[in-house]
Every structure is written in C-alpha cells, then in structure tokens.
Amino acid sequence: MFKITEAQIYLTRHCNLKCGYCKLVKSEIKDLSLQDWTEAYDNMERIGIKTVKILGGEPTLKNWLPNLLRYSLKKGIKTAVLSNSTFSDKTADTLAESGLWGYFASVDSLEDLKIDISTSRKSRNGYGMLRYLQKKGVPLLAANVVIHRFNMHEVPDLVNKLSKEGFYINLCTIQHTTNPNKEFSDSNMNRDYLIPDNKKDDFILLSEKLLELKRLGLKISVPDIYLRNMPVYGIKNDWQCTNPLQLRIDSDGGLMLCNEFRTELADKYNIVNLTPDKYRSFSEEWKAARKSINCDGCYWSSFIQAEDNLKHNRLEFQYSNS
C-alpha cells in the first residue's frame, strides 16, 4: 500500500443533479468537516500520497472547498476536482485562485441527449467550465467521457475536438451491474444506456479508432491497455482486480475497498486518525475483504490507469503523452 501515491475521495455523497447512471447519493453517510479533511491531508502526506482527486456527489456544494485546496497546496499534494460544473463563474474564480491544480468535467456528449436531461446539462456546463478555467490558468484540465450506447458514434469526434482545444480526455465505459450492493454502479439503471452484445463489432472499431487517435498524439489519458481491452471487458464490466490500486476514501473518512464497495474496512479504518501502522493493518486486511465480497467485476478506467501507473512508477496525473 505504501507504493500507492494517489487517493480519490468522495468529499460528499450529496448532489444537485440526478444523472441516469449514478447512485452515489446517500444521505445516511455523514460528511466530514473541513477540519477533519485537513487532518486527513496530514495523514495522506505521512503515508506517501502525492495526488488527490476530489469527487462527489458534487464537491462544490461544500463552500469551504477553496480552503481545503489552499491547505493541499501547503502540503504539496496536487489536488484535482471532478465536478458537474453547475456552479457560478465566481466560484470558479475562487477555486482557481485557491490552488486548484486540476479540474475534471463530465462531458459525455455535446449533442442533446433527451434521454437524460441532467447528463446533457452537466456535459454542456462541463465543456464551458473547461474553457473558462483554461483562461484562468488551471494547469490540468480534463473531460471525463462515459461511453454508452447513445454517444458511441460521437466519441471520436468529441475526443478530437476536446484534444485540439487543449483538454485531456479520460474515457470510461458505462458501469453497470447485477449486484445491488455496489456503491456506484446501479443494478436498476436505465438499461437503454448499455452497449448490447450485438454492438460488439462497433465497439471493436471504436477501440481501434481511439488507439489510433492516441498514437497520433491526441490527449487521451487512459493507457493503451484500457482502450485495447474495451471490447473484452467494456460490455460485461467483468474485469477483476487482485491488488489495491489506489486509496479510496468515503465522505465520512472511511477507507473503502474500492469505489464500489465500502465493506467493514470503512468502519474500522478512517483517514482522520490513520497512522502508518494502521495503514499497514488496512493493507493486510484488504485482500481478506476482497475475497469476502461477491463482485461481478467492473471496468473503471481509473483502476486500470492506477495499475499502469504503479507498474511504471508514474504519478496519477503524469500522463504518458503529456
């Protein structure tokens, strides 16, 4: 675990949107305070964390987020925020001035996806916010593009447009499951989003096209191995991890098994009071917890990218074509 240098945290489980393929919102999980998170950053520094990506829910719902960014700057931990971009330009100015090192916006499509108003709204807002923060000089700007049935045709052109405008692109296939215990992937989601088996040939062509675009120098951040294996794992979402790949922290500070399962680890180990010795214990218990869950798999690009980073001794935001 001490080789892991990246952490991804759910700053809150609350959100101001309701997108059709997300079920992260949970009112029963209590969010930590700003003071708690400053202590968490102290502890992350002690165990070797170098980069943090702040997720939600919607992290900008926390009005003290700029203060946390300033603290991360003081600790020397590069911190990026993933947001639905529904906040004001004034908030964007404050974030940029507070030491925001990177910003990830959800941009699944620039077409009007009538099936999901929230997703279409955050995509339009996300693209606009990337352009706004570019003018503000935020060092790393990236679009998260979730590939699903309704935007498959658009993805190559979308990647080309975003890259030409100076934005990195993080691609991920739509996450779905039959397991109701997963934290993110929804077993009750609208199945129309899913890429059916009879679209596998189209998916293979898309994979090959994206690999070609990356080799031509487009700013695709995910590793080749993820793109190459999309037709293998991206439809069924049945890739399986065997080792911890990044530190995942829930909004109450609990250390999660991954972004899909809290397990008993989250109740036993908390980032607010984590010591190096406790981190070693967490590391020892991770594999036992992994064996105890009934996981049908996933295909999160963040996991494959983290695995690739560990293998090549890279940091989270140190993209191979940057």
Side-chain angles (χ1 to χ4, degrees):
M1 291 292 293
F2 283 91
K3 293 181 180 178
I4 292 175
T5 59
E6 59 190 72
Q8 299 203 10
I9 62 179
Y10 296 134
L11 197 66
T12 179
R13 289 295 200 102
H14 298 279
C15 190
N16 55 343
L17 293 181
K18 188 173 183 180
C19 298
Y21 43 78
C22 173
K23 66 166 190 176
L24 266 180
V25 174
K26 285 191 175 182
S27 58
E28 66 270 23
I29 297 179
K30 186 179 179 182
D31 294 345
L32 294 181
S33 67
L34 171 61
Q35 180 59 41
D36 291 330
W37 280 117
T38 58
E39 292 174 15
Y41 264 84
D42 291 341
N43 293 333
M44 285 191 285
E45 181 189 32
R46 290 187 188 104
I47 60 174
I49 297 299
K50 306 293 184 187
T51 63
V52 169
K53 188 184 288 181
I54 293 177
L55 322 169
E58 176 46 42
T60 62
L61 294 179
K62 298 297 185 183
N63 58 14
W64 43 256
L65 176 58
N67 293 331
L68 185 59
L69 292 174
R70 293 186 191 100
Y71 194 75
S72 74
L73 196 63
K74 186 195 301 186
K75 303 302 293 184
I77 296 176
K78 291 179 177 178
T79 299
V81 171
L82 170 60
S83 166
N84 63 29
S85 305
T86 56
F87 51 88
S88 67
D89 290 351
K90 182 178 179 181
T91 297
D93 292 343
T94 304
L95 293 175
E97 293 160 3
S98 300
L100 179 65
W101 193 85
Y103 184 78
F104 288 72
S106 295
V107 187
D108 296 342
S109 173
L110 292 179
E111 298 179 3
D112 187 14
L113 300 179
K114 294 182 174 61
I115 189 171
D116 189 340
I117 295 172
S118 288
T119 299
S120 293
R121 178 187 173 194
K122 75 175 181 180
S123 292
R124 289 192 298 270
N125 287 356
Y127 174 63
M129 189 54 64
L130 287 172
R131 297 187 65 175
Y132 188 85
L133 290 173
Q134 189 175 50
K135 296 175 182 176
K136 293 293 176 180
V138 174
L140 174 66
L141 297 167
N144 273 5
V145 179
V146 177
I147 302 173
H148 52 75
R149 183 179 181 181
F150 299 108
N151 72 347
M152 274 181 66
H153 68 282
E154 184 191 358
V155 168
D157 288 341
L158 181 60
V159 166
N160 192 51
K161 176 180 175 61
L162 291 167
S163 182
K164 284 185 175 179
E165 295 189 26
F167 308 126
Y168 282 96
I169 303 98
N170 174 44
L171 298 162
C172 194
T173 60
I174 182 91
Q175 299 299 304
H176 57 93
T177 187
T178 57
N179 188 336
N181 297 317
K182 282 191 171 182
E183 291 295 316
F184 191 103
S185 305
D186 195 346
S187 58
N188 297 314
M189 70 179 292
N190 185 337
R191 311 304 281 184
D192 291 340
Y193 277 110
L194 306 189
I195 300 167
D197 286 332
N198 63 10
K199 291 287 186 181
K200 186 172 181 178
D201 287 345
D202 294 338
F203 211 25
I204 292 171
L205 291 174
L206 176 59
S207 169
E208 292 171 348
K209 180 63 176 177
L210 291 170
L211 278 165
E212 177 190 355
L213 291 176
K214 184 173 181 182
R215 288 172 188 142
L216 288 172
L218 271 69
K219 300 168 79 70
I220 296 173
S221 66
V222 293
D224 289 4
I225 192 171
Y226 179 83
L227 300 174
R228 192 176 299 116
N229 284 322
M230 281 200 319
V232 179
Y233 300 111
I235 293 179
K236 300 295 185 183
N237 284 181
D238 54 358
W239 177 82
Q240 297 275 350
C241 65
T242 56
N243 294 295
L245 300 170
Q246 60 184 199
L247 186 61
R248 282 272 177 168
I249 308 169
D250 212 342
S251 64
D252 62 354
L255 303 193
M256 300 175 67
L257 181 79
C258 63
N259 59 328
E260 291 285 11
F261 292 99
R262 273 179 62 93
T263 74
E264 68 278 5
L265 294 174
D267 299 320
K268 188 172 181 179
Y269 297 100
N270 196 287
I271 193 64
V272 174
N273 55 28
L274 191 71
T275 64
D277 284 342
K278 287 181 180 178
Y279 193 46
R280 287 187 185 91
S281 297
F282 171 76
S283 151
E284 292 167 2
E285 293 185 31
W286 186 96
K287 285 200 173 187
R290 173 67 184 85
K291 289 178 181 178
S292 71
I293 62 168
N294 177 27
C295 179
D296 49 343
C298 70
Y299 199 51
W300 285 100
S301 58
S302 59
F303 282 3
I304 282 76
Q305 188 163 345
E307 185 177 56
D308 197 62
N309 288 340
L310 282 169
K311 188 181 299 182
H312 295 97
N313 197 30
R314 282 197 300 261
L315 298 179
E316 182 177 7
F317 305 133
Q318 192 177 343
Y319 300 141
S320 58
N321 61 347
S322 62

